[in-house]
Amino acid sequence: PTMPLFFSVESTVVLPELVCDNKELDFGQMAIGTRELRSIKVRNTSDRDIHLKSSGISAVGPFTVLPFIRNLKPGATQNLVVECNPARPGLFTEVLQLFPTDGKGHQLHITFRTQGVDPVVKLDGLLPASNNWSPQGGILFCGDVVPGDVSTKSFSIVNQSDFAVKVIITRAIWQDMPISRHAELVQRTA
């Protein structure tokens, strides 16, 4: 017959020195080139100053932490702003690690996630553009207009993506336009 072995496990439970209000930031799907900011709060719950170091965020990834915390006084809370700006399509997950520079105490891990996606936008109601233009572009032809008359034409911007796309329409001034006509163009299209 085998005799049972008994042993004792002892451990000390301590409260974490660093806590944050959100250990996971999921930015969801984001169009390439768009930027979103979110904030998290990091708090020092200990009775000592904590000088922090960080690791885990790629210098070429979509995430940036602003401003970086260097020192947290006892009981102090610091807001961190996390910028997400995907530059290419794909799934991105990075883990920010915050820890005391002296190596004492625990590490705080905060996970950031996003999916960079290519927006698909189509313009309807435009004449075909010349070959050296963007394939999504076109010409909004207003016909022959006599000075002082008004011509109105419309076109549609169709979002074929599975997510919302922010659209900004700006006036373009072509390269050979005389400087004297710039202000006139802006005034007429404002």
Side-chain angles (χ1 to χ4, degrees):
T2 55
M3 297 290 291
L5 294 173
F6 296 96
F7 61 93
S8 173
V9 175
E10 296 181 13
S11 177
T12 303
V13 177
V14 295
L15 293 174
E17 292 181 318
L18 295 171
V19 295
C20 71
D21 62 344
N22 192 356
K23 288 190 175 186
E24 290 191 15
L25 285 181
D26 189 346
F27 289 86
Q29 288 186 330
M30 290 184 62
I32 293 170
T34 59
R35 178 179 182 240
E36 185 175 332
L37 301 174
R38 297 208 186 153
S39 64
I40 54 175
K41 293 180 181 179
V42 176
R43 184 167 181 250
N44 177 358
T45 61
S46 74
D47 57 359
R48 67 183 183 104
D49 281 12
I50 297 180
H51 300 279
L52 291 173
K53 283 180 70 173
S54 72
S55 66
I57 298 296
S58 170
V60 294
F63 305 106
T64 307
V65 179
L66 310 165
F68 179 70
I69 307 170
R70 298 283 179 219
N71 184 30
L72 268 178
K73 300 280 185 196
T77 300
Q78 173 78 40
N79 283 328
L80 289 180
V81 176
V82 180
E83 174 189 48
C84 182
N85 187 356
R88 62 185 186 279
L91 293 170
F92 300 94
T93 301
E94 296 184 20
V95 179
L96 173 67
Q97 300 169 359
L98 298 174
F99 49 92
T101 56
D102 62 8
K104 298 176 183 174
H106 81 290
Q107 294 185 5
L108 179 62
H109 300 268
I110 307 167
T111 304
F112 305 141
R113 286 189 191 88
T114 193
Q115 181 181 8
V117 289
D118 276 323
V120 181
V121 177
K122 184 175 100 176
L123 301 174
D124 284 342
L126 301 177
L127 296 176
S130 62
N131 291 337
N132 60 347
W133 286 25
S134 161
Q136 293 91 9
I139 298 171
L140 183 64
F141 182 65
C142 295
D144 295 330
V145 181
V146 177
D149 283 354
V150 174
S151 176
T152 304
K153 294 288 183 177
S154 62
F155 67 97
S156 300
I157 302 171
V158 181
N159 180 10
Q160 297 177 326
S161 308
D162 294 333
F163 55 93
V165 174
K166 182 178 180 180
V167 176
I168 299 172
I169 299 175
T170 59
R171 293 181 281 272
I173 297 175
W174 64 90
Q175 183 177 359
D176 297 330
M177 177 184 262
I179 300 280
S180 61
R181 300 246 356 251
H182 289 202
E184 177 187 344
L185 177 69
V186 171
Q187 182 181 10
R188 286 190 295 154
T189 59

